[in-house]
Each structure stands twice: as structure tokens, then as C-alpha cells.
Amino acid sequence: QVQLVESGGGLAQPGGSLRLSCSGSGLNLNFWAVGWVRQVPGKEREGLSCIGSVDANTYYADSVKGRFVISRDYATNTVTLQMSSLHPEDTAHYYCVTDRARYCYSAEYVHYEYWGPGTPVTVSS
């Protein structure tokens, strides 16, 4: 059974930072492209970033480019999203996602097959 689990969400002040991590069971994340998607209740899902498997290329939506960094740790089989310069508009539920594809479709893609339960991020003073 494929399961993704996110950790690291919470409360941050505007301009602050948070680090989200994603781990998987039932699959080796090192073999697959992994993305991050966020959603605010009542709004559309927003694809933020993706990192490829074979090429480890990274992709970012314009809304987070220059502020968020996605990376892999092959030793621990995890994918991390380092979020900096946070804005109140970054408040959302953040999901780790994968399609078990080797390469990313795009940063904005949201129709992934596998989703973690998500972790909340709140940016507020």
C-alpha cells in the first residue's frame, strides 16, 4: 500500500520560514518524481513545485519561485520543501504528491495519483 506522509507544517510569521518533509511507504520516493500541492478550503488546488527522479530537475510555480526550494535526500528517501519569505497568502494545507512517474509534468500539475494527508501551514503575525 502506497502512503505518503508530510511533516513540518505549523505557524510562521510573515517573512519567516518553514521546512516541510515528505516520506513514503510502499514505494521508494527516490525512484519517482515528487511534487508539492497546496489548497485553501473552497479554492482550487495549486501545484507549487516538483522534483524529478532520474534528472532531479526542479520546477516551481511563479507564486513560489525564488522563495521555496525543493530537494531530495536519497539517503533517507525523503523530499523536502524549504519555504522562506513566507506571506500570509501562503497559508494553506500542503500535500506531498506523486504519480510514480520518473519525470515531472510541470510545477503546476495537480492531477497526481497519490497524496499524503497533508500538513497545515499558517502564516500570520
Side-chain angles (χ1 to χ4, degrees):
Q1 183 179 359
V2 174
Q3 287 186 321
L4 301 173
V5 178
E6 304 91 347
S7 62
L11 176 65
Q13 292 191 337
S17 300
L18 281 174
R19 184 182 179 92
L20 305 183
S21 291
C22 175
S23 60
S25 63
L27 80 167
N28 187 331
L29 288 182
N30 291 342
F31 294 159
W32 310 114
V34 177
W36 289 91
V37 175
R38 69 186 178 190
Q39 188 170 26
V40 175
K43 293 191 176 182
E44 298 281 331
R45 292 170 172 171
E46 180 185 10
L48 303 177
S49 183
C50 182
I51 185 166
S53 168
V54 177
D55 56 12
N57 284 345
T58 57
Y59 303 84
Y60 299 96
D62 287 344
S63 59
V64 303
K65 196 173 295 181
R67 302 189 298 122
F68 292 10
V69 176
I70 191 171
S71 61
R72 289 184 178 275
D73 185 334
Y74 288 97
T76 59
N77 191 23
T78 57
V79 173
T80 296
L81 186 69
Q82 178 68 47
M83 307 187 296
S84 303
S85 301
L86 286 165
H87 306 152
E89 307 86 80
D90 294 315
T91 296
H93 221 72
Y94 284 69
Y95 298 90
C96 173
V97 290
T98 186
D99 245 2
R100 293 200 294 183
R102 299 285 190 179
Y103 299 95
C104 295
Y105 303 110
S106 71
E108 296 81 5
Y109 181 75
V110 296
H111 303 292
Y112 290 91
E113 180 177 2
Y114 299 101
W115 293 68
T119 185
V121 170
T122 301
V123 183
S124 174
S125 55

